[in-house]
Amino acid sequence: MRNFYYIVGIMLALSGCDTPLVGFDYEQSNRLNVGENRFLVYYNDDEAQALRLNNQSMRGLKRAVADGITAIETVTGCSVKALLPKSDTVLTRASLRC
């Protein structure tokens, strides 16, 4: 029975992996591939976030943020004004200029 609780705990912990940050919703989202990366992009009027969904080698991480910016611009139709400070190779956050 203890193994059951471990499995349920792990499933609950992983269920929020592609959940958008506060201020974004599922209605304004889109999945797309850019280069070797697959992204889920959430956006609103002022900001967007691109969540990388695939694994990537260390060599491929150099392109992850640039591909995230491309994904944001493709989905929103806006240009990226600036990267937000908490961006990394998995979650690219940006302010938009439409």
Side-chain angles (χ1 to χ4, degrees):
M1 189 66 169
R2 191 165 66 181
N3 288 338
F4 172 76
Y5 290 120
Y6 287 130
I7 292 171
V8 169
I10 290 170
M11 289 174 57
L12 288 174
L14 295 176
S15 66
C17 288
D18 69 345
T19 303
L21 296 174
V22 175
F24 299 97
D25 57 17
Y26 287 105
E27 281 79 35
Q28 291 182 309
S29 66
N30 196 359
R31 292 178 188 253
L32 75 147
N33 296 328
V34 177
E36 297 177 4
N37 295 307
R38 185 174 57 243
F39 291 97
L40 177 58
V41 178
Y42 296 104
Y43 59 96
N44 58 29
D45 294 336
D46 302 323
E47 295 180 3
Q49 66 179 18
L51 178 64
R52 186 171 51 84
L53 300 174
N54 61 306
N55 291 329
Q56 188 62 266
S57 67
M58 292 299 285
R59 200 174 323 145
L61 288 178
K62 294 178 182 178
R63 294 278 318 149
V65 175
D67 288 348
I69 292 170
T70 303
I72 289 171
E73 290 177 340
T74 302
V75 169
T76 62
C78 301
S79 62
V80 170
K81 183 167 50 173
L83 282 178
L84 297 178
K86 294 189 177 182
S87 295
D88 59 21
T89 58
V90 176
L91 179 66
T92 304
R93 299 178 63 203
S95 59
L96 300 175
R97 177 182 297 132
C98 292

